[in-house]
Amino acid sequence: KRGAEQARSLMKSKSRNSGNQDLTTKPEKTSSTSAGLVDPHFPPNLSLQHVSALNEIYNSKPYPTAENFKQIGDRLGLERQVVIQWFRKRRAEKQAESTTNQVDKRSESKPQLNGSADQNNMITEEQERSLQEILARTKNPTHQDYKALVISTGLSRLKIERWFNFQK
């Protein structure tokens, strides 16, 4: 926080002392992302030019080196720590978007119990056969049955329990 405060005060003094419009002045305060949406997580002291330049750099290199952070900060008139913070938050935002998209895709697709399966979400035909064998014997498998199924199918116990509950 202290670094961000120093960066803000430095930016204010630079913008007061400089009459020309470059990246060190704040012609238009914004906390917008490249899509134009307000993002409360980005430092509010960054101008639209700062955000645009940082987004451009981020798109080409999301993980700059320590030396790159210093060069970016010098070029834009920002403290190195502000640049580092911006990149961290931007990467976290991208990660959150990615996670949200994955969750959305999972919720759209129906669980498939037959056919070829992907290792994370589906049960293969062979695994289902093993489960069906136990189901034919009993509707309520024992602890030993669950252990044997975990070993023979490679599925988690939770997934096996859910399968049996779904069959009831």
Side-chain angles (χ1 to χ4, degrees):
K1 285 189 173 185
R2 192 198 246 166
E5 290 173 19
Q6 288 173 345
R8 284 188 197 105
S9 65
L10 178 65
M11 289 293 292
K12 286 179 185 175
S13 66
K14 282 187 179 182
S15 66
R16 278 189 227 123
N17 295 336
S18 173
N20 60 358
Q21 289 287 49
D22 62 7
L23 291 175
T24 61
T25 61
K26 294 189 277 185
E28 181 181 340
K29 279 189 176 181
T30 183
S31 58
S32 299
T33 62
S34 60
L37 304 172
V38 174
D39 186 349
H41 300 292
F42 284 78
N45 63 321
L46 295 179
S47 69
L48 188 57
Q49 288 88 350
H50 284 127
V51 173
S52 177
L54 288 167
N55 275 320
E56 192 174 307
I57 295 166
Y58 176 85
N59 289 335
S60 65
K61 190 170 187 176
Y63 292 92
T65 63
E67 183 60 33
N68 293 141
F69 282 126
K70 185 175 180 348
Q71 291 170 350
I72 294 166
D74 290 345
R75 187 176 123 215
L76 299 179
L78 297 172
E79 290 288 321
R80 181 177 161 268
Q81 205 54 40
V82 171
V83 175
I84 290 170
Q85 176 189 16
W86 187 91
F87 272 83
R88 281 182 186 154
K89 289 185 177 186
R90 186 74 168 136
R91 286 190 298 263
E93 178 185 83
K94 284 288 186 186
Q95 181 68 31
E97 285 175 14
S98 173
T99 303
T100 302
N101 289 340
Q102 289 173 358
V103 168
D104 290 345
K105 287 178 184 176
R106 283 188 204 138
S107 64
E108 289 173 6
S109 65
K110 291 182 179 179
Q112 179 182 358
L113 296 178
N114 297 328
S116 65
D118 111 358
Q119 291 177 342
N120 295 331
N121 295 325
M122 306 299 170
I123 297 175
T124 65
E125 288 178 15
E126 185 179 325
Q127 290 169 332
E128 186 171 10
R129 271 194 299 276
S130 297
L131 295 169
Q132 289 287 352
E133 287 173 12
I134 300 291
L135 182 63
R137 261 191 316 145
T138 179
K139 296 243 185 228
N140 297 313
T142 65
H143 178 67
Q144 286 79 14
D145 291 333
Y146 280 120
K147 272 182 131 176
L149 285 169
V150 166
I151 292 168
S152 68
T153 63
L155 297 171
S156 70
R157 180 174 172 134
L158 179 63
K159 189 169 271 198
I160 294 168
E161 288 175 352
R162 287 182 178 163
W163 186 88
F164 273 97
N165 287 335
F166 184 73
Q167 301 303 313
K168 292 181 182 178

